Amino acid sequence: MINKNFDELNLNKKVFRAIEDMGFEKPSSIQAEAIPAIIDGKDVIAQSQTGTGKTLAFGAPIISNILNKEEVKNNIQALVLTPTRELALQVTEELRRIAKHARLKIVPIFGGQSIEMQLRDLKRGANIVVGTPGRIIDHMNRGSLKLQEVEYLVVDEADEMLNMGFIDEVESIIKETNSDRQTVLFSATMPQQVKNLAYKYMKKDLLHISIVKKSLTVDKIDQYYIQCKSKSKVEALCRVLDYDNTDGVIIFCRTKKGVDELVEALQAKGYNVEGMHGDMGQNQRLNSLKKFKESILDILVATDVAARGIDVQNVSHVINYDIPQDLESYVHRIGRTGRAEREGIAYTLINPKEQKIIRQIENFTKSSIKKKEIPTLEDIMDKKCDSLVESLWENLEGKDYKKFLPIVEGLQKEGNLVHISAALMAMLFEKEVSNKYEEDIAEEESYNRLFLTVGKKDNLNIKSLLTFIDNNAGVKSSEIGDIDILDKFCFMDVSENHARKIIEKANNKKLNGRSVRIEFANRGRN
Ligand code: ADP
Ligand code: MG
């Protein structure tokens, strides 16, 4: 990672504040390189893996540039092309977060949504349009989308876009924009087709930023991933902490807020844990670190930045509560265990959609990451009882227990010693396992994402959505995974079978007076 902070990137103050609000501590490598270049007006090709923050890498500088102008004009100044509508929506949401303190209209345009609604949105004026090529061409042909004044053009996921056969559409859109525009192209890989596109339409002095990593090896660390629903992450984490014999655990979260929330949740369950991140004073951080080193503190929850450079021995477990920002930081994180000839264990918690990131990490580290099942409550009970019995025998080899003999002899007169011992075990068990477990968290099968044409604007909330699905398709809320409700749409994860059932039974049924279209999110192309 390049050692720069967000305040060194010349971002507009409003953008900087929004990034602070998001709780991001450091720019990712691609952000540290691309942001200043784009602010400088350069055409940029940026290449880096999925999940490295490419949206912010183009969104923050472009929004900064727009805000830095004397007056923000009421026309389309930036156009972002994405290959799928789901990405169009995701990018729109992220750009809106970046523009949170500014008054910019950011409008998504893609097939599947009623064209009238988009026409209305466009009429009201848009500063940034994010869309899929097919529908953008559609609007160009109707004359409802004027691109001549577009000063910033972003082709996001260019490789994916061309794989999907959008080359002609992309070219006709580019030709429609202002020829003085600034063009940035983001891609995870650089096939010839993408290069051709770049050389044809970008300025000759374009900058090629490539954050492609050499592979690194991680020996002596047993690596596992644990798949669970997002809402069961804390529970899964606690079960692992209670099941394994841990001796020093570092847990990584992606944001400062994430650290705070997890620390609070774990403390409430009685774990001996503290957090470390950039907003905490130096003294506080050193203090936590000292306690952790001296084994007074069992668990440290940290962001990557706060953890950088800390050299702690005796870490038995590294747990990626959130998947790392980039592949390199995975290696940095798990490198904290398994030092000095000791074995270490690394766990990474993922949701089913993050499976592919595990594969990428395996390729990058040339090592294997095995699947680990979440321990069941019986597993934990058995394990803890075994270890209680073991320490009981150990204790009997020493002398300490002898001073309690008179008390136990007294107890023997009053009750059954077997029952009394069992009660003592129960008390110890209670102390050992600090957590009150939630009901069983069965792991989910691989999920499909559904796209529904109903959203916040229709007064949709999770409850009304679940009721709608249950009433029409008979699929209960317990079968449904993550739900994202956006302005006019929502997405929902369900297993393949349930997804089919929902489409079959609930498609075009009415919710809050409007008929709702339901489709597989990833199967519509534009
Ligand atoms: P990519 O386009 O490279 O796949 P995204 O732009 O979708 O990646 O970002 C992935 C996730 O990382 C998003 O949730 C985003 O909000 C988050 N993110 C972006 N930049 C940072 C950062 N500097 N620190 C922490 N999280 C970040
Ligand atoms: Mg992206």
Side-chain angles (χ1 to χ4, degrees):
M1 249 189 256
I2 293 144
N3 210 11
K4 264 197 190 160
N5 288 319
F6 278 113
D7 60 6
E8 294 168 84
L9 300 179
N10 287 330
L11 289 164
N12 176 285
K13 277 207 188 66
K14 289 180 178 163
V15 172
F16 177 70
R17 261 205 292 143
I19 295 175
E20 289 233 299
D21 294 345
M22 293 183 217
F24 298 166
E25 197 154 20
K26 275 259 178 189
S28 62
S29 306
I30 192 74
Q31 291 166 355
E33 292 210 29
I35 292 175
I38 298 175
I39 287 193
D40 258 6
K42 282 232 149 49
D43 277 10
V44 172
I45 299 189
Q47 184 187 357
S48 79
Q49 276 116 352
T50 329
T52 52
K54 294 194 281 293
T55 317
L56 188 99
F58 65 77
I62 289 178
I63 292 174
S64 275
N65 287 354
I66 293 177
L67 296 180
N68 284 344
K69 299 223 173 86
E70 272 161 30
E71 50 162 348
V72 176
K73 285 187 269 170
N74 196 20
N75 57 6
I76 302 171
Q77 294 168 57
L79 175 67
V80 181
L81 298 180
T82 66
T84 64
R85 60 185 171 200
E86 188 172 10
L87 268 169
L89 283 166
Q90 262 176 35
V91 169
T92 303
E93 296 284 310
E94 180 102 337
L95 295 183
R96 284 184 180 154
R97 275 195 290 276
I98 300 170
K100 161 177 164 199
H101 297 296
R103 241 188 254 149
L104 288 184
K105 291 203 205 103
I106 304 169
V107 174
I109 294 287
F110 51 86
Q113 183 190 18
S114 96
I115 203 135
E116 284 71 33
M117 188 146 80
Q118 292 173 352
L119 287 172
R120 267 202 310 276
D121 282 348
L122 288 172
K123 257 220 177 90
R124 269 188 232 127
N127 304 106
I128 302 177
V129 167
V130 182
T132 50
R135 186 53 75 95
I136 288 188
I137 299 255
D138 204 350
H139 278 281
M140 273 163 39
N141 293 341
R142 285 164 180 258
S144 45
L145 196 57
K146 302 223 165 20
L147 300 178
Q148 293 74 15
E149 290 177 66
V150 163
E151 293 178 48
Y152 309 97
L153 174 71
V154 180
V155 184
D156 193 19
E157 311 241 3
D159 46 357
E160 197 56 36
M161 193 101 76
L162 301 186
N163 277 342
M164 290 173 73
F166 279 138
I167 182 75
D168 293 340
E169 283 92 337
V170 171
E171 289 201 40
S172 358
I173 295 169
I174 296 181
K175 285 184 193 145
E176 195 78 5
T177 59
N178 181 347
S179 57
D180 288 339
R181 70 173 184 269
Q182 182 178 359
T183 312
V184 288
L185 191 149
F186 281 76
S187 203
T189 59
M190 268 306 143
Q192 193 57 39
Q193 252 197 321
V194 172
K195 288 185 196 148
N196 293 347
L197 188 74
Y199 291 113
K200 206 156 157 197
Y201 295 103
M202 294 173 77
K203 291 184 203 127
K204 294 288 163 273
D205 64 343
L206 68 90
L207 187 69
H208 184 173
I209 301 170
S210 163
I211 315 276
V212 180
K213 310 291 166 50
K214 300 185 288 301
S215 73
L216 290 169
T217 45
V218 274
D219 301 334
K220 278 191 301 179
I221 302 170
D222 287 330
Q223 304 170 66
Y224 303 91
Y225 69 90
I226 297 169
Q227 190 168 312
C228 65
K229 298 180 194 176
S230 304
K231 66 170 196 278
S232 305
K233 264 172 123 180
V234 174
E235 173 78 12
L237 173 66
C238 292
R239 290 188 185 202
V240 168
L241 289 173
D242 292 341
Y243 182 75
D244 278 22
N245 295 320
T246 63
D247 178 16
V249 182
I250 301 186
I251 303 176
F252 285 95
C253 292
R254 205 152 181 178
T255 65
K256 296 181 263 191
K257 196 159 149 256
V259 169
D260 290 339
E261 285 170 0
L262 185 60
V263 167
E264 201 176 307
L266 291 178
Q267 279 176 347
K269 287 175 178 286
Y271 292 92
N272 178 12
V273 52
E274 285 180 17
M276 242 172 83
H277 62 60
D279 278 357
M280 292 170 174
Q282 183 74 357
N283 279 344
Q284 195 183 351
R285 281 158 67 172
L286 287 176
N287 196 21
S288 299
L289 199 55
K290 183 157 174 281
K291 286 196 279 185
F292 187 69
K293 279 186 175 170
E294 292 168 358
S295 303
I296 298 168
L297 186 65
D298 298 332
I299 305 170
L300 199 59
V301 182
T303 56
D304 291 281
V305 178
R308 188 167 309 151
I310 59 172
D311 177 31
V312 191
Q313 305 291 318
N314 303 328
V315 174
S316 67
H317 287 65
V318 166
I319 302 180
N320 296 309
Y321 186 75
D322 295 322
I323 220 148
Q325 178 77 29
D326 51 34
L327 301 179
E328 232 171 28
S329 79
Y330 178 83
V331 178
H332 282 276
R333 285 177 175 191
I334 73 164
R336 296 178 183 285
T337 184
R339 293 187 167 201
E341 304 304 314
R342 299 167 111 253
E343 297 171 5
I345 295 182
Y347 292 121
T348 302
L349 269 59
I350 59 162
N351 65 41
K353 279 177 278 167
E354 290 168 328
Q355 280 262 5
K356 66 169 193 257
I357 302 186
I358 294 294
R359 302 283 95 83
Q360 286 177 4
I361 297 173
E362 285 187 312
N363 283 339
F364 175 61
T365 57
K366 304 270 182 286
S367 61
S368 103
I369 305 179
K370 285 169 273 187
K371 180 164 186 184
K372 161 111 183 167
E373 303 299 333
I374 302 169
T376 64
L377 298 185
E378 290 91 78
D379 290 341
I380 297 173
M381 176 88 180
D382 286 353
K383 184 90 177 247
K384 291 293 166 191
C385 288
D386 285 352
S387 86
L388 280 183
V389 171
E390 198 177 308
S391 31
L392 185 66
W393 290 121
E394 266 171 36
N395 203 285
L396 281 170
E397 278 164 22
K399 288 196 203 104
D400 285 355
Y401 73 94
K402 290 200 168 134
K403 63 175 178 253
F404 293 98
L405 285 175
I407 301 182
V408 178
E409 278 155 7
L411 287 173
Q412 192 176 16
K413 292 187 191 118
E414 290 168 47
N416 179 329
L417 266 195
V418 173
H419 287 197
I420 290 169
S421 312
L424 284 171
M425 289 279 279
M427 285 160 65
L428 283 171
F429 187 83
E430 181 85 342
K431 253 185 99 180
E432 279 276 301
V433 183
S434 30
N435 195 8
K436 292 271 169 293
Y437 295 101
E438 281 158 30
E439 85 283 4
D440 241 356
I441 39 169
E443 186 214 315
E444 57 197 326
E445 341 151 35
S446 81
Y447 268 30
N448 272 273
R449 204 154 170 74
L450 288 181
F451 167 83
L452 295 85
T453 55
V454 59
K456 284 184 204 148
K457 288 239 163 83
D458 311 297
N459 291 323
L460 182 73
N461 56 35
I462 295 200
K463 189 152 168 260
S464 58
L465 179 63
L466 291 173
T467 314
F468 169 77
I469 296 293
D470 190 12
N471 288 346
N472 289 289
V475 175
K476 302 276 176 237
S477 63
S478 54
E479 306 293 341
I480 293 171
D482 285 351
I483 294 178
D484 290 321
I485 300 186
L486 311 179
D487 273 359
K488 294 174 187 163
F489 314 93
C490 63
F491 291 99
M492 178 163 86
D493 287 345
V494 275
S495 67
E496 174 95 26
N497 282 344
H498 287 116
R500 291 189 185 288
K501 195 161 157 201
I502 291 172
I503 292 180
E504 194 182 307
K505 305 228 162 123
N507 187 24
N508 292 325
K509 290 273 158 34
K510 287 211 156 108
L511 173 57
N512 294 349
R514 276 207 28 220
S515 115
V516 179
R517 227 154 30 70
I518 309 176
E519 297 169 11
F520 283 106
N522 42 4
R523 300 191 189 163
R525 292 198 349 174
N526 51 26

